[in-house]
């Protein structure tokens, strides 16, 4: 990539991270991007997702017609960032972008948006051949893939494509787990902790007993389980009448996912049931449980055209492309669930969701070059994917 482009890519990235866009507050970024894409000749639509999830905007879809007849290619990134993500300033030192140290950088996922912008600019400026591109920039990825979950799929015709939302520029994520999330409310009974503790039912104690029976962390090579939130109690002199426990299970094997989820539910049920056999209270303690499917797994076979196309593009550039497994969920999981096969490519972003987050400009250049080569091959070899 020539120096001018490298510089422009860095400038674009700097500008993007300077526009605050924490989850549900992507409106400002979205309207700026919409204008840019329209000035590049795209047809843009903002869907209704924002209304449904209480955010300031919906997902932004930008359609580029291209100049070659080919099946549409989906390209995806997310507009939102985690916190602390307000007032970010990107600093470039020795070719690496970081924040000033008091915020995240927002390379997750603005490095991707910068790469997409640069890619489209290069295509247009140089009149390069490319097929139709459907750019899908989602909201609220970071708070449960909410934008993708509420995406108006009627607006999408592409059946496959790429997301840019990983680290390794020589990797493509093709496997991601399914996940369930759970929330238990253990209802006990309040009482004065000093004067009449026997009149109370300690909800925290019951929740703890249920948790103590569980195996957490890495269960096996493809299964993980976590309790991430526990809340309860009002004061040290009151027997707590409520404890709330929230967590998640992930597995690449749907059977294991269900088995572990069932085990957790029965652990809570059992503790509450056992207490009730000796309780004199009518309906106490009792348990409210909420189990929700969070997302389904992604499993793209190694011989799928999306993997082969990325592999061929990398090879043409003299690079490696390795199919990767992740333990995380992404918008790609939601696309996959809806029959759209999306491989996740890296932008070079590192230490995401921390104030130490960084991205090397060189990695962003590499990622742009790869994407341009993928788009070129896609336009030339229409037979590769049908
Ligand atoms: Zn991300």
């Amino acid at each position: 990539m020539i120096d001018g482009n490298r510089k422009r890519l860095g400038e674009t990235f700097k500008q993007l991270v300077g526009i605050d866009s924490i989850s549900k507050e992507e409106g400002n970024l979205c309207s700026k991007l919409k204008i840019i894409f329209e000035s590049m000749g795209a047809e843009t639509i903002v869907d209704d997702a924002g209304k449904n999830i209480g955010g300031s905007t919906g997902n932004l879809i930008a359609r580029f017609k291209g100049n070659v007849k080919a099946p549409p290619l989906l390209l995806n990134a997310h507009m939102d960032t985690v916190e602390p993500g307000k007032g970010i300033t990107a600093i470039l030192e020795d070719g690496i972008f970081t924040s000033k140290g008091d915020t995240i950088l927002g390379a997750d996922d603005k490095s991707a948006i910068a790469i997409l912008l640069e890619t489209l600019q290069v295509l247009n400026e140089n009149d390069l051949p490319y097929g139709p591109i459907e750019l899908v920039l989602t909201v609220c990825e970071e708070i449960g893939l909410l934008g993708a979950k509420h995406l108006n799929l009627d607006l999408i015709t592409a059946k496959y494509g790429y997301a840019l939302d990983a680290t390794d520029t020589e990797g493509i994520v093709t496997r991601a787990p399914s996940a369930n999330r759970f929330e238990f409310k253990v209802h006990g009974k309040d009482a004065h902790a000093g004067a009449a503790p026997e009149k109370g039912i300690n909800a925290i104690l019951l929740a703890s007993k249920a948790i103590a029976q569980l195996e957490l962390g890495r269960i096996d090579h493809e299964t993980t389980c976590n309790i991430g939130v526990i809340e309860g109690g009002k004061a040290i002199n009151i027997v707590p009448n409520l404890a709330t426990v929230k967590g998640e299970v992930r597995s690449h094997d749907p059977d294991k996912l269900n088995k572990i989820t069932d085990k957790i539910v029965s652990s809570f049920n059992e503790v509450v049931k056992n207490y009730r056999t000796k309780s004199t209270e009518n309906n106490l303690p009792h348990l409210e449980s909420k189990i929700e499917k969070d997302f389904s797994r992604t499993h793209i076979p190694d011989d799928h055209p999306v993997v082969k196309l990325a592999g061929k593009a990398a090879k043409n550039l003299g690079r490696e492309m390795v199919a990767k497994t992740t333990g995380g969920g992404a918008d790609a999981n939601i696309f996959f669930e809806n029959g759209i096969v999306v491989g996740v490519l890296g932008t070079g972003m590192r230490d995401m969701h921390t104030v130490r987050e960084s991205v090397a400009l060189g990695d962003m250049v590499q990622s742009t070059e790869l994407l341009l080569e993928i788009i070129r091959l896609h336009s030339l070899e229409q037979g590769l994917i049908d």
Side-chain angles (χ1 to χ4, degrees):
M1 185 181 261
I2 58 168
D3 275 357
N5 292 111
R6 187 188 169 92
K7 209 175 154 214
R8 182 171 65 185
L9 177 59
E11 285 302 318
T12 303
F13 175 69
K14 239 179 151 165
Q15 280 166 16
L16 288 173
V17 301
I19 306 168
D20 294 349
S21 65
I22 58 169
S23 305
K24 293 199 177 175
E25 295 178 20
E26 307 89 341
N28 193 10
L29 176 65
C30 180
S31 42
K32 288 198 164 95
L33 289 171
K34 192 171 183 289
I35 292 166
I36 297 173
F37 291 134
E38 278 167 7
S39 75
M40 295 166 93
E43 178 201 342
T44 63
I45 309 165
V46 176
D47 75 4
D48 284 338
K51 283 184 204 124
N52 298 325
I53 58 188
S56 62
T57 182
N59 302 298
L60 173 61
I61 295 120
R63 289 203 198 98
F64 290 83
K65 271 203 194 106
N67 46 30
V68 170
K69 209 170 164 282
L73 187 67
L74 183 138
L75 296 176
N76 159 248
H78 61 89
M79 292 188 282
D80 64 317
T81 70
V82 295
E83 293 188 80
K86 285 186 176 166
I88 301 171
T89 304
I91 297 166
L92 181 63
E93 221 176 85
D94 298 329
I96 294 169
F97 281 110
T98 59
S99 73
K100 286 198 298 190
D102 53 349
T103 64
I104 54 147
L105 174 61
D108 177 10
D109 198 17
K110 283 169 182 166
S111 55
I113 300 176
I115 289 161
L116 291 168
L117 279 168
E118 181 60 32
T119 299
L120 287 156
Q121 263 165 329
V122 170
L123 290 175
N124 283 337
E125 281 165 2
N126 301 290
D127 233 345
L128 298 173
Y130 68 102
I133 290 175
E134 288 178 355
L135 211 60
V136 181
L137 299 185
T138 56
V139 292
C140 296
E141 193 268 355
E142 300 286 9
I143 54 169
L145 319 176
L146 292 184
K149 284 176 183 172
H150 290 87
L151 176 67
N152 182 353
L153 289 164
D154 294 340
L155 302 173
I156 312 295
T157 59
K159 288 282 163 238
Y160 56 87
Y162 299 90
L164 283 91
D165 196 11
T167 297
D168 190 353
T169 55
E170 298 198 345
I172 177 165
V173 178
T174 56
R175 289 173 176 252
S178 305
N180 286 339
R181 52 170 71 203
F182 55 80
E183 179 181 316
F184 298 105
K185 281 188 194 298
V186 181
H187 295 269
K189 192 187 171 200
D190 53 358
H192 192 293
E198 47 284 295
K199 287 189 180 165
I201 300 171
N202 192 318
I204 292 178
L205 179 65
L206 294 179
S208 310
K209 281 186 173 168
I211 294 168
Q213 294 181 33
L214 304 178
E215 200 188 337
L216 300 179
R218 191 170 295 287
I219 311 291
D220 64 27
H221 70 285
E222 56 183 357
T223 311
T224 58
C225 180
N226 186 50
I227 286 177
V229 176
I230 176 159
E231 291 160 342
K234 291 194 180 82
I236 60 166
N237 59 357
I238 304 173
V239 176
N241 65 353
L242 178 64
T244 305
V245 178
K246 297 180 197 174
E248 57 152 49
V249 188
R250 299 176 185 220
S251 183
H252 289 266
D253 179 340
D255 286 345
K256 285 181 186 170
L257 182 80
N258 292 333
K259 245 168 115 178
I260 303 281
T261 307
D262 290 347
K263 218 168 137 185
I264 296 166
V265 175
S266 53
S267 177
F268 276 85
N269 272 328
E270 206 180 291
V271 167
V272 168
K273 208 179 92 195
N274 285 347
Y275 193 98
R276 276 175 75 151
T277 57
K278 53 183 180 182
S279 172
T280 53
E281 296 289 332
N282 276 344
N283 292 313
L284 293 173
H286 84 96
L287 182 70
E288 258 180 277
S289 28
K290 200 162 82 185
I291 313 294
E292 279 174 349
K293 190 193 87 171
D294 200 356
F295 48 83
S296 300
R297 68 177 188 163
T298 299
H299 271 208
I300 308 174
D302 287 349
D303 61 354
H304 189 279
V306 160
V307 185
K308 290 207 304 206
L309 187 59
K312 197 168 176 197
K315 202 175 161 206
N316 288 353
L317 297 169
R319 300 182 196 157
E320 295 287 318
M321 183 52 59
V322 183
K324 296 197 140 193
T325 299
T326 177
D331 283 350
N333 287 60
I334 308 300
F335 286 119
F336 193 76
E337 210 176 304
N338 288 294
I340 305 168
V341 178
V342 174
V344 186
L345 301 170
T347 71
M349 58 168 111
R350 276 166 218 283
D351 295 318
M352 293 84 85
H353 301 193
T354 77
V355 294
R356 298 172 302 283
E357 186 184 8
S358 69
V359 64
L361 181 55
D363 281 341
M364 287 168 63
V365 169
Q366 281 221 4
S367 184
T368 309
E369 288 167 344
L370 179 73
L371 195 55
L372 280 166
E373 183 62 9
I374 286 174
I375 291 168
R376 189 184 73 85
L377 289 174
H378 174 251
S379 78
L380 288 178
E381 303 189 32
Q382 297 161 31
L384 197 62
I385 300 177
D386 46 46

